[in-house]
Amino acid sequence: MAPKRAWQRMLSGRRLDLLDPTPVDIEIADIAHGLAFVARWNGQTRGDYAYSVAEHSLLVETLFSRIAPSAPVKWQLAALLHDAPEYVIGDMISPVKAAVGSGYGALDDRLTAAVHLRFGLPAVLPATIKRQIKRADKVSAWMEAVQIAGFSEAEATKFFGRPDAGLMEGLTIRLRPPKEARDEFTRRHADLMQAMG
């Protein structure tokens, strides 16, 4: 019996092996395109467009920069790419991840390491940076829950914690066509890569 296919052909022409991903098969155009078409909250959000993982990633990078304003640019890039594996494995809501079990986490970890290495980051982030990105991710989740996913503030706070209002000042959830989110994600990635020089 032939082995089951474990790779996906990307729009760039790359074949990404999901079980053994290599940095050479990772392209930012594929990540940006995929994330722009993956809906957060399983698409259960208000508005005429899905709230994409690309849009979420841009918000998390902004929030991370507010949480850690003196962090080196490479950690801003890590924040932007924190959900990059979802360009091939999708965005599973937490209850589904719990039901799937540890296999999802292992797959996510392998893809994350390949993405990080491709863009000059360590395969595994320092624990402090990972915690700060996770904090930004939770603030973003709270904002999304309240602004577009139908949660009350009390309910969002129960699941994600109450964020510091100062971190969210002037920020709102943006719903826009996937092409716009894709293009902004690509631009931001290019800016950060250039700043890392």
Side-chain angles (χ1 to χ4, degrees), residues 84-194:
E86 294 179 7
Y87 85 109
V88 286
I89 58 177
D91 179 34
M92 284 195 211
I93 59 172
S94 296
V96 174
K97 286 179 187 174
V100 170
S102 62
Y104 179 89
L107 180 60
D108 186 89
D109 289 345
R110 284 193 300 271
L111 286 163
T112 296
V115 168
H116 284 177
L117 292 173
R118 170 67 175 87
F119 300 113
L121 298 170
V124 178
L125 298 179
T128 302
I129 300 303
K130 200 167 181 175
R131 276 194 304 273
Q132 289 171 326
I133 293 172
K134 188 63 183 171
R135 182 177 167 208
D137 194 36
K138 285 190 165 192
V139 174
S140 178
W142 189 92
M143 290 175 66
E144 295 163 24
V146 170
Q147 292 182 32
I148 59 172
F151 285 57
S152 68
E153 288 194 13
E155 188 178 22
T157 299
K158 177 181 172 186
F159 291 110
F160 308 112
R162 176 159 296 278
D164 176 354
L167 287 176
M168 301 181 292
E169 188 176 342
L171 299 177
T172 56
I173 299 301
R174 298 171 70 183
L175 299 173
R176 53 185 168 163
K179 180 186 183 311
E180 292 179 20
R182 178 189 69 200
D183 292 350
E184 185 173 337
F185 184 96
T186 304
R187 276 192 302 274
R188 186 62 185 147
H189 177 268
D191 290 346
L192 292 170
M193 290 297 290
Q194 184 175 12

